[in-house]
Amino acid sequence: DVNYCLPASSEATANMAALLVGPNGVTMEVWTDQPGLQVYTGNIIGNPEHPKTWWHGKGAEWQRFGAISLEPQLWPDGVHHPSFPSPILRPGEKYHHHS
Protein backbone atom coordinates (compact mmCIF):
# COMPACT_ATOMS: atom_id res chain seq x y z
CA ASP A 1 0.00 0.00 0.00
CA VAL A 2 1.67 3.16 -1.22
CA ASN A 3 0.18 6.58 -1.98
CA TYR A 4 1.73 8.71 -4.69
CA CYS A 5 1.25 12.48 -4.75
CA LEU A 6 0.39 13.32 -8.35
CA PRO A 7 1.46 16.48 -10.19
CA ALA A 8 -1.15 19.22 -10.52
CA SER A 9 -2.81 19.42 -13.92
CA SER A 10 -4.69 22.20 -15.66
CA GLU A 11 -6.85 19.59 -17.41
CA ALA A 12 -10.24 18.49 -16.02
CA THR A 13 -8.78 14.99 -15.81
CA ALA A 14 -5.28 13.88 -16.70
CA ASN A 15 -3.60 10.55 -17.43
CA MET A 16 -1.79 9.91 -14.16
CA ALA A 17 -0.83 6.25 -14.45
CA ALA A 18 -0.51 3.48 -17.00
CA LEU A 19 0.17 -0.24 -16.77
CA LEU A 20 1.44 -2.47 -19.57
CA VAL A 21 1.04 -6.17 -18.84
CA GLY A 22 3.02 -8.90 -20.57
CA PRO A 23 3.55 -9.75 -24.19
CA ASN A 24 -0.15 -9.55 -25.11
CA GLY A 25 -0.01 -5.75 -24.72
CA VAL A 26 -2.91 -5.37 -22.29
CA THR A 27 -2.85 -1.80 -20.98
CA MET A 28 -4.71 0.18 -18.37
CA GLU A 29 -4.70 3.95 -17.97
CA VAL A 30 -5.89 5.94 -14.97
CA TRP A 31 -7.33 9.36 -15.74
CA THR A 32 -8.28 11.42 -12.72
CA ASP A 33 -8.62 14.85 -11.18
CA GLN A 34 -7.57 13.53 -7.76
CA PRO A 35 -4.22 14.58 -6.23
CA GLY A 36 -3.21 11.10 -5.05
CA LEU A 37 -2.98 7.55 -6.34
CA GLN A 38 -3.05 4.64 -3.89
CA VAL A 39 -1.32 1.55 -5.28
CA TYR A 40 -2.02 -1.83 -3.68
CA THR A 41 -0.31 -5.01 -4.88
CA GLY A 42 -1.83 -7.61 -2.56
CA ASN A 43 1.30 -7.78 -0.41
CA ILE A 44 -0.61 -8.92 2.71
CA ILE A 45 -2.66 -11.60 0.97
CA GLY A 46 -1.89 -14.95 2.55
CA ASN A 47 -0.61 -13.44 5.79
CA PRO A 48 -0.87 -16.30 8.31
CA GLU A 49 -2.13 -13.87 10.99
CA HIS A 50 -5.33 -13.27 8.97
CA PRO A 51 -8.26 -15.66 8.62
CA LYS A 52 -7.86 -17.92 5.60
CA THR A 53 -11.39 -16.96 4.53
CA TRP A 54 -10.07 -13.48 3.66
CA TRP A 55 -8.19 -14.94 0.70
CA HIS A 56 -10.93 -17.01 -0.91
CA GLY A 57 -14.07 -15.88 -2.64
CA LYS A 58 -16.32 -16.40 -5.64
CA GLY A 59 -14.44 -19.53 -6.68
CA ALA A 60 -11.01 -17.90 -6.58
CA GLU A 61 -8.05 -18.20 -4.29
CA TRP A 62 -6.13 -14.95 -4.22
CA GLN A 63 -2.36 -14.99 -4.26
CA ARG A 64 0.17 -12.56 -2.83
CA PHE A 65 1.13 -10.01 -5.51
CA GLY A 66 -1.40 -11.67 -7.87
CA ALA A 67 -3.09 -8.40 -8.81
CA ILE A 68 -2.77 -4.63 -8.59
CA SER A 69 -5.22 -1.95 -7.60
CA LEU A 70 -4.87 1.72 -8.61
CA GLU A 71 -7.13 3.94 -6.51
CA PRO A 72 -7.32 7.70 -7.23
CA GLN A 73 -8.00 9.58 -4.00
CA LEU A 74 -7.02 12.45 -1.73
CA TRP A 75 -3.77 12.18 0.22
CA PRO A 76 -3.87 10.03 3.36
CA ASP A 77 -4.01 11.85 6.69
CA GLY A 78 -4.92 15.12 4.96
CA VAL A 79 -7.11 16.14 7.87
CA HIS A 80 -3.96 16.58 10.01
CA HIS A 81 -1.87 18.51 7.46
CA PRO A 82 -3.05 22.02 6.48
CA SER A 83 -0.79 22.00 3.40
CA PHE A 84 -2.52 18.87 1.99
CA PRO A 85 -5.72 19.00 -0.09
CA SER A 86 -8.54 19.04 2.45
CA PRO A 87 -10.65 15.88 2.85
CA ILE A 88 -13.23 17.76 4.94
CA LEU A 89 -16.73 18.12 3.50
CA ARG A 90 -18.86 20.65 5.36
CA PRO A 91 -22.68 20.67 5.49
CA GLY A 92 -24.08 21.96 2.22
CA GLU A 93 -20.87 21.38 0.26
CA LYS A 94 -20.74 18.87 -2.60
CA TYR A 95 -17.94 16.45 -3.32
CA HIS A 96 -17.37 15.76 -6.99
CA HIS A 97 -14.49 14.19 -8.87
CA HIS A 98 -13.81 12.23 -12.03
CA SER A 99 -11.69 9.11 -12.43
Side-chain angles (χ1 to χ4, degrees):
D1 247 352
V2 176
N3 187 273
Y4 292 93
C5 299
L6 303 174
S9 174
S10 60
E11 302 293 320
T13 61
N15 185 354
M16 294 297 186
L19 296 175
L20 174 61
V21 182
N24 62 3
V26 172
T27 61
M28 181 175 100
E29 295 180 341
V30 177
W31 291 71
T32 186
D33 59 2
Q34 292 291 287
L37 184 70
Q38 190 77 18
V39 178
Y40 178 65
T41 60
N43 58 306
I44 67 164
I45 291 176
N47 183 327
E49 296 177 15
H50 299 146
K52 192 167 183 164
T53 55
W54 282 15
W55 317 122
H56 300 274
K58 297 185 180 181
E61 184 172 333
W62 306 327
Q63 297 177 3
R64 189 172 190 205
F65 301 113
I68 188 167
S69 174
L70 303 177
E71 307 164 7
Q73 63 182 34
L74 294 172
W75 297 345
D77 202 33
V79 71
H80 296 114
H81 301 275
S83 63
F84 285 12
S86 178
I88 298 172
L89 189 65
R90 306 225 181 265
E93 293 179 339
K94 292 182 180 180
Y95 177 73
H96 183 77
H97 74 88
H98 286 14
S99 293

